[in-house]
Amino acid sequence: MNRVKGGERLAEGRRKGALRDMAHLVIGPLTRIFGHAYLRVEAEEGMSPGVRFSAFGYRGFEMMARGVHVDNLPPLVSRICGPDSLFHQAAACLAVEKALGMEAPPAARSLRELALWAQLFERHAVSLSVHGLPDLLFPSSDPGLRNLVSIYRVDEEVVRRLLSLKSLGTAVLRETGGSTVHGVNFRPGGVVRDLSAESRERLADRLRSGESLLLETARLVKLLLRRSEETVRRAGSIEGSFLAEHDPGGMGITGGGPALFTPGTEAEGPRPVEDLGERLREEPSSSGHVIYAGLEGTGALTVGPLARVNVNGRYGTPRADEELSELKETWGFPIRYPMVAHALRMLEMLHAWERMLELLREPSRGTLGETLNPGAGKAMVYIEAPEGGLVYGVELGEKGLVEKLSIVSPLQFNLRNLEKSLAEAFASVEKEGQERVSDVLHMVVRAYSPCVPCGVH
Amino acid sequence: MDIALLSLSSCLGCQMAFLSLEEYLYELIGENRVVYAPFLMDKKELDHADLALVEGTVRNTEHFLRAREIRERADRVVALGTCACFGGVQGLADLYPEPRLLRSRFGDTAFEGGPQGVRRLLPLDSFIRVDAYLPGCPPVPALIEKFLRAAVSGDRLSREGATVCAECAVTSPPLPQPGPRRLTEGSGEPGKCLLDSGFFCLGPLTRDGCGALCPSGMGVPCRGCRGPSGRVLERAGADVEAETVRRLARATGKKEEEIRAGVPDPVHTYYLFCLAEPLLRKRRSGGTSPYLHRLGE
C-alpha cells in the first residue's frame, strides 16, 4: 500500500502548475466565507486590472445522480451544501414533481416553506454574524482580530446575541426537518411528518422571544453601513439586470417564477422569464471550477438579496417593509451597492421571521404527501436560495430514475458581477498596500456571501 | 488544548454543526481553544494545534497538501464527519473516472494552474495518518460536544459499536408487510419498525450515536449517514446490501431475488455514504483492527 507516495506524486504535479505561480497576485485562501477559494489579480500593462474568483474541487453531483431513484435524490443533493441543504432538496423535489405533472399538497408546501425560511434565516445569520459584521464593527482594527473569537474576549454579550439569532433559525430547522443541518422531512410528492400543535406553539414562542434582538440588530447593521459609506462606495455599484422570483404578494421562495428587472425600466416592471431553459447559458471559466451562468441577451446578472428587493420592490410583511423604506431613503432605489446586501440580509431575516410566525399559525389540513407514480418526464424549476436563484433541471426515465440532472447555483449567476466589483475595489485601493487590498477585497467577497460548495457542486 | 477546524472538499455541514454547539461553543471560544478555523477567523495558516478536526474528502492536490500540512502541524488529527471517515456522499464520484467527471462539466476547458484531481475517492486516512474518527453527516452537536469534552480532558470515548437500532424506539408490526417500498409511495405507521414495515432502512447496519433521529423521531428510514457499524466493517462478508435484502425478504415474505430486482439503484440505496470506504472493498491496508481501535467517539 503506497498511498502517501501516491499523494506525493500529486503534490509534485501541483507544484508544477501551482495556482500561486500563475497569477500576478494571489489573495487567499479567503477566510470567513462559505468554502475555500482564492482571488487572482491579473494586471497586464496598459490594461485595467482584472480579479478572478478562483475555486477548484468540482464534485460531480450531476453525474452522481444519474440512475438514482427519485426517493434517494433529496438526501443526495442535500450534501452539495450544508448551509443551503434544504434549498437543494426543495428544488430537486419540485423538479421531480413538475416532471411527473403533479404538485405536493398544500400542507406539505406550507411546511416546506416554513423550513426554507428557517434555513434562509440561519444562513443569513451566519453570513452576517460570523463573516460580514466583524468588518463593519471594527473596520480599523487588525483584520486578524475581526472575528467572533476575538470579539468574545472583549465583549461576550455581543457574540452571544449575534449567535442567538442563528439559534432561532436552527431551532425551527431541527423541529421541521428532524436535523440541524441535513433535514430529512422533504420527499418528492410532499413531506413525511407534520409539526404537532405543541411544536408550533413552542417554536412561535421561541421566535417571538427574539423580536427585539432582531429589530435591534437590523438597526445596528443599517447604522454600521452608513458609518462605512466610503467602503460601501469603494466596492462599486452593480450595472445590468437583476433576476429573482417575482411574487406580487411579496418576496417568496418557490411560488412566483423568475423575472428580470433592469434599472431604468421601472415603468414596465419586472419581465417574467418564461423560457428559462432555452435562455440559460453556462460558460466555463479557465480560472476555476465555478461556471459563469446567465440568460441569453441580458449580460451580467445579479441574483440574491439585492435582486429580490429590486424585482419585488417590497417584502410583503410589515416590519421588513418598514425597515426597507428607511434603507431606500439612504441608498436609493433600485439598490445597486453590493455591500448594502448585508442590511438586506438582515431585512430578509426579519421577513423570514414574520413569515415563519404566519406559517406556524396555519393549522395543518389534509394529506402531507402524494404517492408518486414513476414515469418519464422532464422539467426545470427556479427557486430562491439564500444567495439567489437556484435552478434544477431533471430528466426522468420510464422507471422514474433520474437520467439527467443539471444544477445552476447562485454563485454562478453572480460570478461576473462579483469579479467586476472586485476589480473596481482593487483599482480604488491598489496604491494603499497589499494588506489593505486584501482587506477590502475580502470585504467585497463577504458582501456577496458566495457559496463555494454550491458553486463547485 | 488548541483546536483547529478546517474543511477539505465538503458541504460545510460539519462546520454548521460545530456552530450549533451553543453553550459549549462559548466555552471553547472563552477558553481560547479555537486557534485556527478559516470559516470563522482570518488566520491563513495553522502554526500548531493539539487537535485538528478535518472535515471533507481529498479531491485534488491542493486538498492533499492542506491535509498533509495539518498532519505535520497538529499533534492529533480527527476525521470529522462521514466524508472524512468513509468518503461520504462525495464518494459516489468514484463511480466515474475523474477525467470523465470533469469533461462532463467543463468540456475541453484548460484550467490555468488548477490543482490536479485524485485518481480515487478515498477516506482521509488513505492520505494522512488519522488519530480518531467522528462520523456523522454531520455528527449531531451533542456527539461533537461529548467527543471534544473527552479530548480536551485527554480521554477518548469508547463505544462498543452498536447500531442505530439500539437507539430506535419502535416496535415491530405484524409480518408480512407490503414492500419493499420507499417514502415516495407513502409513509410508514408511526412508532413501527420501518425495516419490518418493508422500507429500505439501514439501521441494523449503521453506526449508532445519532439517537436514531430519522427512523425514531421522523419516520424516515436510516440511510446510513453515520457509516457502517463496527460489525459490518470487521466481519468479512457482512455486506450492507445482502443483509438488507435478507431482512426485507423476511419482512415482506418475498424472495431475495425479487427484492433485488426491485432496486434499480443499489449503489445509492445501500452505499450512499460509504461507497469509498476501503474496508467494504477489502482494500484498506493493515486490515480492520487499526481502524476500529481508533474509533474515537
Side-chain angles (χ1 to χ4, degrees):
Chain A
M1 197 66 201
N2 204 9
R3 285 182 190 124
V4 173
K5 281 189 179 170
E8 279 167 355
R9 282 199 299 278
L10 296 175
E12 177 62 25
R14 187 190 181 281
R15 276 196 289 275
K16 282 179 184 164
L19 188 66
R20 287 183 178 83
D21 298 338
M22 296 295 291
H24 301 275
L25 171 65
V26 173
I27 296 169
L30 298 173
T31 40
R32 283 197 283 127
I33 67 162
F34 289 94
H36 186 78
Y38 290 85
L39 298 179
R40 299 167 44 159
V41 181
E42 296 166 344
E44 298 293 334
E45 208 162 315
M47 307 266 286
S48 46
V51 183
R52 298 277 164 260
F53 182 86
S54 180
F56 286 94
Y58 173 62
R59 291 170 292 160
F61 272 87
E62 285 148 327
M63 288 285 277
M64 288 181 211
R66 288 197 178 176
V68 70
H69 188 287
V70 293
D71 179 61
N72 284 327
L73 189 57
L76 172 71
V77 296
S78 185
R79 270 69 191 183
I80 290 173
C81 176
D84 295 333
S85 57
L86 291 184
F87 290 87
H88 286 277
Q89 293 192 40
C93 289
L94 288 166
V96 167
E97 287 156 10
K98 193 173 171 188
L100 295 175
M102 62 169 298
E103 206 175 30
R109 295 205 301 270
S110 166
L111 207 61
R112 280 182 188 172
E113 190 186 341
L114 174 64
L116 292 173
W117 284 123
Q119 193 160 61
L120 179 137
F121 186 99
E122 186 202 46
R123 209 268 192 195
H124 279 355
V126 173
S127 179
L128 275 170
S129 59
V130 181
H131 298 159
L133 270 191
D135 291 327
L136 298 176
L137 279 166
F138 305 105
S140 50
S141 69
D142 175 357
L145 297 174
R146 284 184 230 147
N147 58 67
L148 290 187
V149 178
S150 300
I151 298 171
Y152 192 85
R153 283 174 207 152
V154 291
D155 195 337
E156 250 180 63
E157 195 52 29
V158 169
V159 175
R160 281 179 176 270
R161 286 164 76 84
L162 289 174
L163 284 181
S164 69
L165 283 177
K166 178 206 169 285
S167 302
L168 279 182
T170 312
V172 181
L173 270 181
R174 198 183 299 121
E175 295 237 8
T176 50
S179 169
T180 51
V181 180
H182 294 294
V184 295
N185 204 14
F186 291 10
R187 62 121 168 137
V191 295
V192 182
R193 201 198 68 168
D194 199 1
L195 269 181
S196 66
E198 296 76 37
S199 291
R200 285 173 184 272
E201 197 46 52
R202 190 171 55 246
L203 288 175
D205 284 346
R206 176 92 195 260
L207 284 174
R208 278 191 287 265
S209 72
E211 181 176 0
S212 58
L213 176 60
L214 201 50
L215 289 168
E216 280 168 29
T217 315
R219 278 164 203 150
L220 172 71
V221 176
K222 285 192 296 189
L223 185 75
L224 289 173
L225 271 177
R226 278 204 299 272
R227 202 181 71 175
S228 311
E229 190 170 342
E230 191 199 336
T231 312
V232 172
R233 295 194 190 278
R234 271 187 169 185
S237 67
I238 290 172
E239 303 298 322
S241 301
F242 296 91
L243 176 71
E245 186 174 290
H246 183 229
D247 191 332
M251 191 190 101
I253 293 177
T254 61
L260 270 169
F261 169 70
T262 308
T265 63
E266 282 81 354
E268 295 166 32
R271 286 164 289 140
V273 181
E274 279 152 7
D275 47 358
L276 181 68
E278 285 147 42
R279 291 180 65 187
L280 202 56
R281 294 286 178 274
E282 289 189 291
E283 185 193 331
S285 152
S286 61
S287 55
H289 283 173
V290 184
I291 289 183
Y292 294 109
L295 296 185
E296 192 179 23
T298 56
L301 279 178
T302 301
V303 297
L306 264 90
R308 285 193 283 260
V309 79
N310 287 337
V311 166
N312 290 295
R314 67 194 192 98
Y315 290 107
T317 45
R319 297 279 170 78
D321 280 337
E322 196 183 318
E323 297 288 327
L324 177 63
S325 59
E326 194 191 319
L327 206 72
K328 285 176 174 177
E329 276 175 31
T330 311
W331 300 103
F333 191 81
I335 299 172
R336 299 198 206 192
Y337 297 107
M339 285 199 70
V340 178
H342 287 310
L344 294 174
R345 282 186 195 100
M346 198 61 234
L347 267 49
E348 288 192 351
M349 285 171 68
L350 204 49
H351 175 60
W353 179 84
E354 291 178 286
R355 283 295 295 142
M356 284 191 280
L357 280 172
E358 284 171 13
L359 290 162
L360 283 168
R361 273 195 296 270
E362 280 179 14
S364 268
R365 287 200 186 90
T367 177
L368 290 171
E370 302 291 346
T371 300
L372 250 65
N373 296 312
K378 186 178 168 182
M380 181 171 275
V381 297
Y382 175 102
I383 70 166
E384 287 294 334
E387 290 309 319
L390 176 64
V391 178
Y392 263 61
V394 293
E395 287 180 36
L396 304 178
E398 287 298 333
K399 291 180 181 169
L401 302 184
V402 174
E403 288 189 345
K404 195 175 174 191
L405 176 70
S406 54
I407 302 166
V408 183
S409 68
L411 172 57
Q412 292 180 245
F413 284 116
N414 277 339
L415 189 57
R416 281 191 202 284
N417 275 328
L418 167 61
E419 291 182 340
K420 187 170 165 287
S421 298
L422 287 166
E424 281 180 34
F426 177 80
S428 74
V429 290
E430 192 180 359
K431 294 187 173 65
E432 295 175 31
Q434 200 164 322
E435 269 182 32
R436 179 73 179 138
V437 167
S438 169
D439 188 23
V440 169
L441 296 195
H442 268 90
M443 285 191 216
V444 174
V445 173
R446 287 172 197 139
Y448 277 84
S449 192
C451 186
V452 179
C454 289
V456 296
H457 57 265
Chain B
M1 175 178 280
D2 290 344
I3 296 172
L5 174 68
L6 72 148
S7 300
L8 302 174
S9 173
S10 80
C11 76
L12 300 176
C14 295
Q15 308 249 8
M16 291 299 278
F18 186 84
L19 273 183
S20 304
L21 288 174
E22 306 271 343
E23 276 307 312
Y24 187 56
L25 178 64
Y26 302 128
E27 207 177 299
L28 288 174
I29 294 175
E31 291 169 5
N32 291 341
R33 296 205 185 277
V34 183
V35 294
Y36 176 74
F39 185 68
L40 305 175
M41 308 159 75
D42 280 315
K43 203 168 164 53
K44 302 288 182 199
E45 281 193 30
L46 172 67
D47 304 320
H48 171 264
D50 298 304
L51 189 74
L53 304 168
V54 182
E55 172 204 35
T57 56
V58 172
R59 293 300 301 262
N60 58 38
T61 46
E62 199 188 344
H63 297 136
F64 171 71
L65 289 174
R66 213 182 319 157
R68 197 170 66 171
E69 193 173 276
I70 295 302
R71 176 67 272 179
E72 285 163 4
R73 296 177 187 185
D75 294 344
R76 284 188 286 164
V77 171
V78 180
L80 174 67
T82 299
C83 288
C85 292
F86 303 110
V89 166
Q90 300 196 73
L92 293 179
D94 216 21
L95 289 167
Y96 305 96
E98 178 82 359
R100 187 175 161 202
L101 269 189
L102 293 177
R103 217 170 32 247
S104 73
R105 178 75 177 148
F106 305 105
D108 296 325
T109 304
F111 294 104
E112 295 162 13
Q116 201 179 322
V118 293
R119 276 189 230 160
R120 300 304 300 258
L121 249 293
L122 292 163
L124 184 62
D125 66 358
S126 298
F127 296 93
I128 59 166
R129 184 169 54 82
V130 167
D131 299 293
Y133 300 77
L134 182 56
C137 190
V140 290
L143 202 57
I144 299 178
E145 179 178 339
K146 210 169 161 187
F147 177 90
L148 287 176
R149 280 193 187 281
V152 164
S153 59
D155 291 338
R156 185 164 59 204
L157 299 179
S158 174
R159 299 177 68 87
E160 291 304 316
T163 67
V164 170
C165 292
E167 299 177 325
C168 193
V170 292
T171 56
S172 190
L175 302 184
Q177 287 281 314
R181 50 186 172 150
R182 300 178 188 254
L183 286 175
T184 46
E185 297 158 55
S187 301
E189 193 185 336
K192 296 294 177 194
C193 170
L194 288 160
L195 184 60
D196 279 351
S197 302
F199 287 91
F200 292 93
C201 182
L202 303 187
L205 303 150
T206 301
R207 193 162 183 74
D208 69 336
C210 58
L213 292 172
C214 299
S216 210
M218 296 296 291
V220 172
C222 170
R223 297 187 194 263
C225 85
R226 283 259 296 152
S229 68
R231 190 180 66 86
V232 172
L233 294 170
E234 202 170 16
R235 210 182 77 186
D239 179 78
V240 178
E241 179 178 2
E243 290 233 6
T244 309
V245 168
R246 188 173 60 76
R247 287 164 190 262
L248 279 172
R250 175 182 165 272
T252 59
K254 290 181 178 164
K255 289 185 177 168
E256 290 186 19
E257 299 77 57
E258 208 178 330
I259 305 286
R260 282 183 201 279
V263 186
D265 61 339
V267 168
H268 298 91
T269 301
Y270 303 115
Y271 303 103
L272 188 62
F273 292 91
C274 60
L275 187 72
E277 168 50 45
L279 277 182
L280 298 179
R281 298 175 179 186
K282 304 289 175 275
R283 60 183 167 85
R284 189 188 285 271
S285 61
T288 60
S289 57
Y291 169 79
L292 292 172
H293 179 68
R294 291 198 300 271
L295 272 168
E297 349 162 54

